[in-house]
Structure formats: C-alpha cells, structure tokens
Amino acid sequence: MAAKRSGARSKRGINERLQPVQEPRSEPPLSRERIVATAVELLDAQGVDGLTMRRLADRLGSGVMSLYWHVDNKEDVFDLALDSVLEYRGPPQIVESRDWRGEVVHMLEDWRASMLRHPWSASLLPRRALGPNILSRLELLSKALSRAGVADADLNVVIWSLWNYVMGATITRASFDLSDDDRAAAQQRLTRLSERYPTIERSRLLLDNDWGGTFRKGLGFLLDGLSPG
Amino acid sequence: MAAKRSGARSKRGINERLQPVQEPRSEPPLSRERIVATAVELLDAQGVDGLTMRRLADRLGSGVMSLYWHVDNKEDVFDLALDSVLEYRGPPQIVESRDWRGEVVHMLEDWRASMLRHPWSASLLPRRALGPNILSRLELLSKALSRAGVADADLNVVIWSLWNYVMGATITRASFDLSDDDRAAAQQRLTRLSERYPTIERSRLLLDNDWGGTFRKGLGFLLDGLSPG
DNA sequence: ACCTGAACACCGTTCAAGT
DNA sequence: ACCTGAACACCGTTCAAGT
C-alpha cells in the first residue's frame, strides 16, 4: 500500500496534494470499536431500518463476513451501538450535591438529550438488555431518591415511574421526527377529522411543539407527586 | 363456489359429513377485514418480525400479491392492525361520571391492558400515525381533565405526561415478555454485575414483577402531582 | 374487480476456504 | 488470528398478465 502511494505520486506529481491528507482509500484494520462507531454513524444517518450488515461493511471498506469475526450478529451490533450512546458523565460540579431534585432532573434531561441526539436509540432501548451505562444511571437515581427520603417500600415504584415517563416522552418525541411528507399527511388527516375531537382541537394538543418545555413541566408535576410528604 | 360444493356432495355422499361444517379447504374471499384480522393473529403468534407478507398470504390461502389489491403495503398492514386493537368501549356504567379520576384511571388501565394483550402493539404505537381509536381516547382524557379543573394552560402538559407514563410503562412491560432464554441471560449478567450497583441490588429493582401494582401506584402518584390545587 | 407468477433488488447468516 | 466469496433461504414490491 505504501508502494501504491509512492507510485501514484511519481505519476501525478502535484495533483496528489488535492487529496485530503488522511488518505481516504486505506482503511484502518477492523475492530469492535470501529464497527460500533460506524454503526452509530449509519444509524444516525439512515435510521434503524438503514442499518444493514452489508451497508455497514461497505462503510468500513471490508467484506460483509469480516464483521462476524468481531461481532456475534446484527442484534449484537444494536446492543453495542445503544450502550455506546448512553454514557453519563455526571452533573456539573456547580450542582450542589445536596440538591437531590436538581441532580435527578439533570440526569434525566441528559438521558433524554442523549437519546434524541440518536433518535433510533429511544425506541430501541426498551427492547434490549440493560447495559452498564443504563444500570449506573438507575443506580444514581436510586441513591438520590433514597437521600431525598423516599421510603424503601416506595423506591421501586418511584424509579419505574420516572423511567416510564422519560422513556415514553423520548420515544414519542423521537418518533415525531419523521419526514416532512409523513408529518404533512398526519396533519392533514387530523384537521379533516378535527370536528370529531373538539377538545383536542381547541387545546391544539397535536400542534404543541415545545417538546422540551412540556417534558420539563411534566417531570416537575411527576416529582411533586412522588416526593415524600 | 356453490356449484363446486354441490358437485362434491353428489360425488362423495355420506363422506361429506366427516368434514367439519365450515369446509376448511375453501377460503372465504380476501378482504381488508380478513387481512387485518389474520395479521393480528400472526403478530400475536410471532411478534413484529414474524409478520411477513408471504406468511400472511399463506395463512390466508392466497398468493402474496393478492394482498396488494386490498392493502397499500406492509406499513399499511401495521397501521390497520394497530388501530384495530385499540378500540375503547368506555367505562362500565357503574362508574359515576362525576368521578373524573376513576374514569381516567379506568381508560388508561384499559389502554395498557389492550396493548399487553397484543405485545407488539405497544412498541409500534409511537412510530405510527394516531388512528381514530387513539384520538378518541385522547379526546376523552381531555374532557375528563377539563372537568376536573385542570387549567387550559396546563392541559396539554398533563395529557402528554399521562401519555408518556402509560406508553413508557407498557412498552417496557411488553418488552420484558421475552423468551426465557433472554430473561435468564439478562438475570445472570445482572447478578454478576450486582456489586457495582448496590442500591439497585438492595431494592431488588429488576426482580420486582408486580407490574400491574407498580403501574397503578405510579399512576396514582402522577395524578397527585397533576391534580390542581 | 380481483387475483397471479415471475422477476428484481435486496436481506442475515452458514460454510468452507484462504492468508 | 483475521478476512473472504459463494451460496442458502429468505424479504417487499413492480410489472405484465390473467379471469
């Protein structure tokens, strides 16, 4: 390959300079990390249905079957891609650690934001095993809530309620990120039917697109209900 | 078909009686309704990945391409199957209609139960357009909450919070209905890692399988937080 | 109006083989 | 240890054709 390169240089001279420095033709060797990173790229670009072992191999510049040396199967790729996207680095130090509510809100909003950066991840998460990054988020949640005075008997209910809320909100939000065609069609059908749903129509339920604000307010309501005392 | 049948009778005489009355060999003609009903059967039996246009046609005793006369494409089949499963017949008359909270809880628990009867439906729902059966559930919810005194400015937040909670809970629950193999594997991995997540371990968060009770209690907390005053 | 088979452009994965 | 191509058993859907 080095030979190939110097050959090209002597043949084309200055033209060589037009190529970017990083030498696009020669791929680094395959590895688990490279496969996962490229899978995330592909998922971001094409969605869940866009991830194909063949396309993934193409992007990596390898044969399809080479992937199977590093990875069990396609399911495995999904699991690895998902977990790689859910790491939590913790709250900024500014957040006073006595403020359990601030800590919980920060972690959950970060969770939502991480998933929305990779919209395929939200709907995938509940179908997959709980990876280490998910488990440590749950651990953090448990600790904060215990500290807040939630009774042991209520702890699981409280955690699952928060989980349900965040998952439901994020999956719904991510699913509305559809193509403009789909949105237009849905909107049109709705206005056609709107006289049958007057209350929804009046409150403009389906046009409300301050997703972030709605998420935050709802989370506030939920925490009000969950807090002891 | 009538002609074919009487022909068989005159030829085989009493043997005819051995066949069940409904004549299993001759399928009724294809129709949208029959396709949707069979799709639901297939989804119940084999899950989302089990629904295949070819398998669906097999069950219906028709050629694959015959389906496309009645149905746009596979997406269409999903939409129709989903909506067909979400009809709401309303609360029993015993429920006093002044009791907004009882009405809301009844509808949401029925919603959850309907989806859990067809576990593929929960994870499908957020990805699909809002069909008429979903819209009337939302309409009912809006009315009940307005009656309960929720301010117009809060109405959308409250509705979406309930939606998020129910969807998150049901999708999560439905996804845990995996094969025993998967469960065993997940369980094993968890106990291996459990020392890193002491609080989760202590509260037995992932072993808690009173899903119904947890759902109901969490919903109660949420309604506490959402209720005005 | 309703149904059909052949064909196309894809899939994930097994296997036997290469280096 | 790592990579490969051929082959298998599937997909959804287009198309041109049948009744």
Tab-separated table of all heavy atoms in Angstrom, chain B residues 177-208:
chain	number	residue	atom	x	y	z
B	177	ASP	N	-41.501	-9.312	28.178
B	177	ASP	CA	-42.109	-10.594	27.818
B	177	ASP	C	-41.266	-11.322	26.798
B	177	ASP	O	-41.742	-11.720	25.752
B	177	ASP	CB	-43.489	-10.347	27.209
B	177	ASP	CG	-44.579	-10.708	28.187
B	177	ASP	OD1	-44.282	-11.447	29.137
B	177	ASP	OD2	-45.709	-10.270	27.993
B	178	LEU	N	-40.024	-11.500	27.099
B	178	LEU	CA	-39.152	-12.122	26.124
B	178	LEU	C	-39.086	-13.619	26.371
B	178	LEU	O	-39.702	-14.150	27.283
B	178	LEU	CB	-37.767	-11.500	26.223
B	178	LEU	CG	-37.748	-9.995	25.966
B	178	LEU	CD1	-36.385	-9.424	26.272
B	178	LEU	CD2	-38.149	-9.712	24.536
B	179	SER	N	-38.335	-14.258	25.564
B	179	SER	CA	-38.156	-15.695	25.745
B	179	SER	C	-37.452	-15.941	27.072
B	179	SER	O	-36.761	-15.084	27.603
B	179	SER	CB	-37.306	-16.248	24.613
B	179	SER	OG	-35.960	-15.888	24.808
B	180	ASP	N	-37.628	-17.134	27.595
B	180	ASP	CA	-36.993	-17.477	28.860
B	180	ASP	C	-35.475	-17.402	28.766
B	180	ASP	O	-34.804	-16.999	29.708
B	180	ASP	CB	-37.412	-18.892	29.283
B	180	ASP	CG	-38.869	-18.903	29.728
B	180	ASP	OD1	-39.399	-17.815	30.017
B	180	ASP	OD2	-39.458	-19.989	29.787
B	181	ASP	N	-34.955	-17.767	27.609
B	181	ASP	CA	-33.516	-17.671	27.394
B	181	ASP	C	-33.007	-16.271	27.651
B	181	ASP	O	-32.067	-16.053	28.413
B	181	ASP	CB	-33.178	-18.059	25.943
B	181	ASP	CG	-33.158	-19.563	25.764
B	181	ASP	OD1	-33.393	-20.274	26.760
B	181	ASP	OD2	-32.914	-20.014	24.638
B	182	ASP	N	-33.660	-15.305	27.000
B	182	ASP	CA	-33.245	-13.921	27.147
B	182	ASP	C	-33.302	-13.486	28.607
B	182	ASP	O	-32.391	-12.841	29.112
B	182	ASP	CB	-34.142	-13.011	26.299
B	182	ASP	CG	-33.862	-13.181	24.817
B	182	ASP	OD1	-32.906	-13.900	24.480
B	182	ASP	OD2	-34.602	-12.602	24.010
B	183	ARG	N	-34.391	-13.841	29.268
B	183	ARG	CA	-34.543	-13.439	30.659
B	183	ARG	C	-33.430	-14.018	31.512
B	183	ARG	O	-32.844	-13.330	32.340
B	183	ARG	CB	-35.888	-13.906	31.211
B	183	ARG	CG	-37.064	-13.214	30.602
B	183	ARG	CD	-38.322	-13.507	31.382
B	183	ARG	NE	-38.428	-12.684	32.562
B	183	ARG	CZ	-39.573	-12.475	33.206
B	183	ARG	NH1	-40.680	-13.014	32.766
B	183	ARG	NH2	-39.610	-11.713	34.270
B	184	ALA	N	-33.168	-15.293	31.305
B	184	ALA	CA	-32.130	-15.954	32.090
B	184	ALA	C	-30.784	-15.272	31.872
B	184	ALA	O	-30.064	-14.967	32.832
B	184	ALA	CB	-32.043	-17.430	31.703
B	185	ALA	N	-30.479	-14.992	30.635
B	185	ALA	CA	-29.210	-14.343	30.318
B	185	ALA	C	-29.110	-12.972	30.990
B	185	ALA	O	-28.104	-12.641	31.611
B	185	ALA	CB	-29.052	-14.197	28.803
B	186	ALA	N	-30.165	-12.199	30.886
B	186	ALA	CA	-30.172	-10.863	31.481
B	186	ALA	C	-29.993	-10.951	32.993
B	186	ALA	O	-29.207	-10.229	33.589
B	186	ALA	CB	-31.475	-10.146	31.137
B	187	GLN	N	-30.724	-11.870	33.585
B	187	GLN	CA	-30.669	-12.053	35.021
B	187	GLN	C	-29.256	-12.417	35.471
B	187	GLN	O	-28.723	-11.867	36.425
B	187	GLN	CB	-31.660	-13.150	35.425
B	187	GLN	CG	-31.770	-13.330	36.921
B	187	GLN	CD	-32.099	-12.020	37.605
B	187	GLN	OE1	-32.941	-11.263	37.127
B	187	GLN	NE2	-31.413	-11.715	38.704
B	188	GLN	N	-28.685	-13.335	34.741
B	188	GLN	CA	-27.346	-13.800	35.090
B	188	GLN	C	-26.324	-12.664	35.009
B	188	GLN	O	-25.540	-12.456	35.934
B	188	GLN	CB	-26.939	-14.914	34.125
B	188	GLN	CG	-25.801	-15.773	34.665
B	188	GLN	CD	-25.448	-16.877	33.684
B	188	GLN	OE1	-25.849	-16.831	32.526
B	188	GLN	NE2	-24.709	-17.863	34.149
B	189	ARG	N	-26.401	-11.897	33.926
B	189	ARG	CA	-25.463	-10.809	33.777
B	189	ARG	C	-25.623	-9.796	34.895
B	189	ARG	O	-24.675	-9.222	35.398
B	189	ARG	CB	-25.634	-10.126	32.432
B	189	ARG	CG	-24.375	-9.352	32.059
B	189	ARG	CD	-24.587	-8.508	30.857
B	189	ARG	NE	-25.865	-7.817	30.957
B	189	ARG	CZ	-26.368	-7.082	29.996
B	189	ARG	NH1	-25.741	-6.998	28.861
B	189	ARG	NH2	-27.518	-6.467	30.159
B	190	LEU	N	-26.885	-9.615	35.287
B	190	LEU	CA	-27.139	-8.641	36.333
B	190	LEU	C	-26.522	-9.052	37.661
B	190	LEU	O	-25.846	-8.253	38.320
B	190	LEU	CB	-28.630	-8.426	36.521
B	190	LEU	CG	-28.883	-7.294	37.486
B	190	LEU	CD1	-28.500	-5.978	36.857
B	190	LEU	CD2	-30.314	-7.285	37.952
B	191	THR	N	-26.735	-10.282	38.061
B	191	THR	CA	-26.185	-10.700	39.340
B	191	THR	C	-24.656	-10.672	39.307
B	191	THR	O	-24.022	-10.354	40.305
B	191	THR	CB	-26.662	-12.111	39.727
B	191	THR	OG1	-26.484	-12.975	38.608
B	191	THR	CG2	-28.133	-12.093	40.108
B	192	ARG	N	-24.080	-10.942	38.130
B	192	ARG	CA	-22.631	-10.857	38.006
B	192	ARG	C	-22.160	-9.433	38.284
B	192	ARG	O	-21.148	-9.199	38.913
B	192	ARG	CB	-22.207	-11.308	36.602
B	192	ARG	CG	-20.780	-11.759	36.525
B	192	ARG	CD	-20.355	-12.209	35.116
B	192	ARG	NE	-21.459	-12.605	34.240
B	192	ARG	CZ	-21.729	-11.972	33.089
B	192	ARG	NH1	-21.020	-10.947	32.711
B	192	ARG	NH2	-22.722	-12.400	32.334
B	193	LEU	N	-22.949	-8.451	37.818
B	193	LEU	CA	-22.544	-7.057	37.962
B	193	LEU	C	-23.061	-6.411	39.238
B	193	LEU	O	-22.783	-5.251	39.500
B	193	LEU	CB	-23.056	-6.250	36.764
B	193	LEU	CG	-22.478	-6.590	35.398
B	193	LEU	CD1	-23.173	-5.780	34.317
B	193	LEU	CD2	-20.974	-6.338	35.370
B	194	SER	N	-23.814	-7.180	40.020
B	194	SER	CA	-24.630	-6.505	41.022
B	194	SER	C	-23.822	-5.750	42.062
B	194	SER	O	-24.300	-4.787	42.639
B	194	SER	CB	-25.556	-7.512	41.700
B	194	SER	OG	-24.783	-8.446	42.415
B	195	GLU	N	-22.601	-6.172	42.311
B	195	GLU	CA	-21.865	-5.448	43.355
B	195	GLU	C	-21.542	-4.006	42.955
B	195	GLU	O	-21.267	-3.164	43.795
B	195	GLU	CB	-20.581	-6.199	43.758
B	195	GLU	CG	-19.486	-6.199	42.739
B	195	GLU	CD	-19.521	-7.467	41.906
B	195	GLU	OE1	-20.593	-8.121	41.809
B	195	GLU	OE2	-18.468	-7.811	41.350
B	196	ARG	N	-21.604	-3.747	41.672
B	196	ARG	CA	-21.341	-2.375	41.231
B	196	ARG	C	-22.579	-1.493	41.366
B	196	ARG	O	-22.505	-0.290	41.199
B	196	ARG	CB	-20.863	-2.379	39.781
B	196	ARG	CG	-19.496	-3.033	39.609
B	196	ARG	CD	-19.050	-2.991	38.171
B	196	ARG	NE	-19.231	-1.668	37.576
B	196	ARG	CZ	-19.266	-1.432	36.260
B	196	ARG	NH1	-19.160	-2.440	35.420
B	196	ARG	NH2	-19.413	-0.209	35.802
B	197	TYR	N	-23.721	-2.104	41.629
B	197	TYR	CA	-24.964	-1.323	41.717
B	197	TYR	C	-25.703	-1.688	42.999
B	197	TYR	O	-26.783	-2.268	42.966
B	197	TYR	CB	-25.844	-1.587	40.488
B	197	TYR	CG	-25.097	-1.434	39.186
B	197	TYR	CD1	-24.675	-2.545	38.464
B	197	TYR	CD2	-24.805	-0.169	38.685
B	197	TYR	CE1	-23.987	-2.389	37.271
B	197	TYR	CE2	-24.114	-0.009	37.496
B	197	TYR	CZ	-23.708	-1.132	36.791
B	197	TYR	OH	-23.019	-0.973	35.624
B	198	PRO	N	-25.114	-1.329	44.140
B	198	PRO	CA	-25.626	-1.831	45.420
B	198	PRO	C	-27.059	-1.385	45.722
B	198	PRO	O	-27.852	-2.170	46.261
B	198	PRO	CB	-24.639	-1.237	46.441
B	198	PRO	CG	-24.002	-0.084	45.739
B	198	PRO	CD	-23.956	-0.452	44.302
B	199	THR	N	-27.394	-0.165	45.376
B	199	THR	CA	-28.725	0.311	45.725
B	199	THR	C	-29.800	-0.410	44.918
B	199	THR	O	-30.845	-0.803	45.437
B	199	THR	CB	-28.826	1.835	45.490
B	199	THR	OG1	-27.636	2.457	45.950
B	199	THR	CG2	-30.015	2.406	46.227
B	200	ILE	N	-29.541	-0.586	43.635
B	200	ILE	CA	-30.453	-1.359	42.797
B	200	ILE	C	-30.608	-2.773	43.345
B	200	ILE	O	-31.711	-3.298	43.446
B	200	ILE	CB	-29.926	-1.443	41.347
B	200	ILE	CG1	-29.967	-0.066	40.694
B	200	ILE	CG2	-30.722	-2.442	40.550
B	200	ILE	CD1	-29.420	-0.067	39.290
B	201	GLU	N	-29.465	-3.341	43.684
B	201	GLU	CA	-29.459	-4.700	44.198
B	201	GLU	C	-30.297	-4.803	45.472
B	201	GLU	O	-31.140	-5.691	45.610
B	201	GLU	CB	-28.011	-5.114	44.482
B	201	GLU	CG	-27.839	-6.452	45.162
B	201	GLU	CD	-28.244	-7.613	44.264
B	201	GLU	OE1	-28.566	-7.379	43.090
B	201	GLU	OE2	-28.258	-8.756	44.767
B	202	ARG	N	-30.081	-3.859	46.382
B	202	ARG	CA	-30.770	-3.911	47.670
B	202	ARG	C	-32.296	-3.791	47.499
B	202	ARG	O	-33.071	-4.477	48.167
B	202	ARG	CB	-30.252	-2.790	48.580
B	202	ARG	CG	-30.758	-2.854	50.009
B	202	ARG	CD	-29.939	-1.970	50.923
B	202	ARG	NE	-29.852	-0.592	50.448
B	202	ARG	CZ	-30.803	0.329	50.657
B	202	ARG	NH1	-31.868	0.033	51.359
B	202	ARG	NH2	-30.659	1.549	50.183
B	203	SER	N	-32.716	-2.917	46.593
B	203	SER	CA	-34.162	-2.716	46.430
B	203	SER	C	-34.774	-3.753	45.503
B	203	SER	O	-35.983	-3.739	45.260
B	203	SER	CB	-34.424	-1.313	45.885
B	203	SER	OG	-34.015	-1.232	44.542
B	204	ARG	N	-33.937	-4.617	44.942
B	204	ARG	CA	-34.412	-5.650	44.028
B	204	ARG	C	-35.244	-5.052	42.891
B	204	ARG	O	-36.262	-5.607	42.470
B	204	ARG	CB	-35.211	-6.710	44.788
B	204	ARG	CG	-34.443	-7.318	45.958
B	204	ARG	CD	-35.250	-8.355	46.730
B	204	ARG	NE	-35.529	-9.563	45.957
B	204	ARG	CZ	-34.636	-10.507	45.696
B	204	ARG	NH1	-33.399	-10.369	46.123
B	204	ARG	NH2	-34.971	-11.566	44.996
B	205	LEU	N	-34.762	-3.926	42.399
B	205	LEU	CA	-35.493	-3.174	41.378
B	205	LEU	C	-35.880	-4.022	40.184
B	205	LEU	O	-36.993	-3.934	39.665
B	205	LEU	CB	-34.609	-2.004	40.902
B	205	LEU	CG	-35.189	-1.106	39.794
B	205	LEU	CD1	-36.417	-0.374	40.290
B	205	LEU	CD2	-34.144	-0.098	39.303
B	206	LEU	N	-34.942	-4.883	39.754
B	206	LEU	CA	-35.185	-5.592	38.494
B	206	LEU	C	-35.875	-6.926	38.704
B	206	LEU	O	-36.163	-7.642	37.752
B	206	LEU	CB	-33.859	-5.771	37.759
B	206	LEU	CG	-33.278	-4.405	37.372
B	206	LEU	CD1	-31.786	-4.375	37.551
B	206	LEU	CD2	-33.671	-4.029	35.965
B	207	LEU	N	-36.136	-7.257	39.963
B	207	LEU	CA	-36.831	-8.518	40.219
B	207	LEU	C	-38.292	-8.278	40.563
B	207	LEU	O	-39.099	-9.194	40.567
B	207	LEU	CB	-36.147	-9.259	41.377
B	207	LEU	CG	-34.692	-9.596	41.091
B	207	LEU	CD1	-34.044	-10.200	42.325
B	207	LEU	CD2	-34.582	-10.534	39.906
B	208	ASP	N	-38.574	-7.030	40.827
B	208	ASP	CA	-39.938	-6.641	41.162
B	208	ASP	C	-40.845	-6.957	39.977
B	208	ASP	O	-40.780	-6.321	38.948
B	208	ASP	CB	-39.948	-5.132	41.439
B	208	ASP	CG	-41.336	-4.631	41.774
B	208	ASP	OD1	-42.260	-5.446	41.883
B	208	ASP	OD2	-41.480	-3.397	41.926
